[in-house]
Structures are given as C-alpha cells and as structure tokens.
C-alpha cells in the first residue's frame, strides 16, 4: 500500500480509497485547496505586476507559493504542538483526578465504623451493617402490621400497638434466628442471619396486609363499583 504523503486518510492508496475503490475525497480536497491557493496568489501577483514580464510573474507566483507553504507548515507545526500540549494537560488532569480518587478511596477504607468504632472498616463494619439492615426491616414489619390492624386516626392505639408489635416482632426474630443458627451459634453468624430472617418476616407481614386490604369492605365495594 502506498499512501500519498499529503493525505492523512489511512484508507487512501495512491489516491484510491481501499474500502470503496473510488477516488479519495481527501486527496481531492487537498488538490482543490492547492489550486485555489495558486489562483489566489496568481491574481495578487497579476494585480500588482500588470506591466511585468510573464516569466517574472510566474517566478513571483512560485516564490509567494513557497512562502505560503512555509507559513502553512509553520502554522501546522504550531497546531500540532498545541494539540500535543492539550493532550498532555488532559493526561495530567486525569492522573491528578485518579490520584485524588485513590486517596479518597484509601481514606474511606481506613475510616472506623460509625457505630462501634472498629478501625479500618470503610465507615461501617459488617456486623453493624447487618444490624442496621435488621433494624430497618423490623421497623418496616411493625409499620405494616400497625397499618393493617389499627385505626390510624387513634394515635394512642397506634402508639400502644406499635410498642407491643415491636416487642413481639423482636421476640419472633430472636426465636427464628435461634432455630436457624442453633442456641450456641457464633454471634457473627446470628448477625449475618438476622437480616434474612427479618426480611422474611417483613415479606409475610406485607402479604398479610395485602390480603386484609383486599378483604376490606371499602375495597370490595370499590372493586364492585369498578366492575
């Protein structure tokens, strides 16, 4: 493959596109640009050397073309240098950002647990993470039971039932974890198992709340009306 030195298209093979077999449009553009430059310079020379010898005019045209070519090459070198500087600056910015991200990640990993203070555990150790997840699931299970069984307009009844339901839910959770892990299980195993058990309790409460809602008189009446 022979690529013309002036053509930047890698698909060009001596003015022919390798992918299509047609004339290379990039080469055509280059030729058109050079012809336009020659015509412009010739017009300038003829305008300023009206009564000069034609040979002298041609020589002046060639001289100015060489000057224009040298200037364009200088401008091209400046553009390439500027582009290289921009690439280098972007690479340096990427490197700085990556270094900052790595430093932030290292700081995050070395942070102690926010709950128990255990060092170098990324802000929350596994045990505390399990406990937080368990607490969230327990609250959701209690809220579902309260919403399904208590008149929410009676704040006293809601508060009383919430306390009782939370006590019962935690007792149910502890009993289920003991059955799943054994009475003498490692506390770490119990902490790992508790969120899974709490999720099952929450899901059952959710299913029961839906069943109760479907059987409510208001829901039945609304369904009949829609039907």
């Amino acid at each position: 493959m022979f690529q013309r030195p002036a053509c930047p298209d890698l698909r060009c093979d001596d003015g022919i596109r390798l992918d299509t077999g047609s004339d290379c449009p990039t080469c055509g553009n280059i030729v058109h640009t050079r012809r336009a430059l020659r015509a412009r310079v010739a017009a300038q020379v003829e305008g300023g050397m009206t009564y000069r010898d034609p040979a002298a005019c041609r020589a002046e045209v060639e001289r100015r073309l060489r000057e224009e070519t040298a200037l364009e090459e200088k401008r091209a070198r400046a553009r390439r240098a500027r582009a290289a500087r921009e690439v280098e600056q972007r690479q340096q910015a990427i490197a700085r950002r990556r270094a900052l991200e790595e430093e932030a990640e290292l700081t995050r990993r070395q942070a102690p647990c926010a709950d128990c203070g255990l060092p170098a555990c990324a802000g929350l150790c596994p045990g505390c993470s399990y406990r937080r997840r368990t607490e969230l699931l327990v609250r959701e299970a209690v809220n579902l039971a309260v919403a399904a069984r208590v008149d929410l307009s009676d704040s006293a009844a809601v508060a009383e039932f919430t306390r009782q339901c939370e006590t019962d839910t935690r007792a149910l959770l502890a009993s289920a974890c003991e059955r799943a892990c054994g009475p003498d299980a490692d506390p770490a195993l119990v902490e790992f198992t508790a969120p899974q058990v709490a999720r099952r309790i929450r899901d059952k409460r959710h299913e029961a709340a839906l069943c109760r809602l479907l059987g409510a008189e208001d829901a039945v009446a609304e369904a009949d009306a829609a039907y």
Side-chain angles (χ1 to χ4, degrees), residues 47-108:
M49 301 176 63
T50 307
Y51 303 103
R52 296 292 184 90
D53 180 62
C57 289
R58 288 194 297 272
E60 179 65 14
V61 168
E62 295 300 327
R63 186 187 68 78
R64 294 191 184 185
L65 283 175
R66 288 193 296 272
E67 289 181 353
E68 288 289 339
T69 302
L71 287 174
E72 177 57 30
E73 177 60 25
K74 183 178 180 180
R75 289 192 290 266
R77 286 197 300 269
R79 289 194 297 268
R80 290 193 294 269
R82 183 169 60 252
R85 287 195 301 271
E86 292 175 354
V87 170
E88 183 179 1
Q89 290 171 357
R90 286 195 295 269
Q91 291 176 345
Q92 291 175 353
I94 292 173
R96 288 194 299 269
R97 184 180 63 186
R98 185 177 294 114
L100 291 174
E101 291 174 351
E102 291 176 353
E103 182 180 358
E105 177 63 16
L106 180 61
T107 302
R108 186 190 68 84

Side-chain angles (χ1 to χ4, degrees), residues 189-205:
L189 176 60
V190 177
E191 291 176 348
F192 173 78
T193 306
Q196 305 173 47
V197 176
R199 183 180 297 108
R200 289 197 293 269
I201 295 174
R202 190 276 311 272
D203 292 344
K204 289 181 180 179
R205 297 274 178 87

Side-chain angles (χ1 to χ4, degrees), residues 91-203:
Q91 291 176 345
Q92 291 175 353
I94 292 173
R96 288 194 299 269
R97 184 180 63 186
R98 185 177 294 114
L100 291 174
E101 291 174 351
E102 291 176 353
E103 182 180 358
E105 177 63 16
L106 180 61
T107 302
R108 186 190 68 84
R109 291 181 180 180
Q110 293 177 345
C113 178
D115 291 351
C116 68
L118 185 68
C121 59
L124 194 64
C125 69
C128 292
S129 177
Y130 297 144
R131 284 192 290 273
R132 284 192 179 189
R133 181 61 178 163
T134 301
E135 288 298 318
L136 176 61
L137 291 167
V138 167
R139 287 197 299 271
E140 291 179 358
V142 171
N143 291 337
L144 285 168
V146 171
R149 298 186 181 184
V150 181
D151 182 5
L152 299 181
S153 62
D154 188 346
S155 58
V158 169
E160 178 61 28
F161 189 83
T162 299
R163 286 192 295 269
Q164 184 60 45
C165 184
E166 182 173 354
T167 301
D168 295 342
T169 302
R170 294 188 183 280
L172 176 61
L173 175 63
S175 176
C177 288
E178 184 176 352
R179 289 196 303 272
C181 302
D184 299 325
D186 189 330
L189 176 60
V190 177
E191 291 176 348
F192 173 78
T193 306
Q196 305 173 47
V197 176
R199 183 180 297 108
R200 289 197 293 269
I201 295 174
R202 190 276 311 272
D203 292 344

Side-chain angles (χ1 to χ4, degrees), residues 8-39:
D9 195 334
L10 297 179
R11 297 168 296 183
C12 174
D13 181 15
D14 195 19
I16 304 298
R17 282 277 294 268
L18 292 174
D19 54 346
T20 63
S22 59
D23 292 340
C24 176
T26 305
C27 288
N29 291 335
I30 293 173
V31 171
H32 175 75
T33 301
R34 289 177 177 175
R35 285 176 178 173
L37 174 63
R38 178 175 286 275

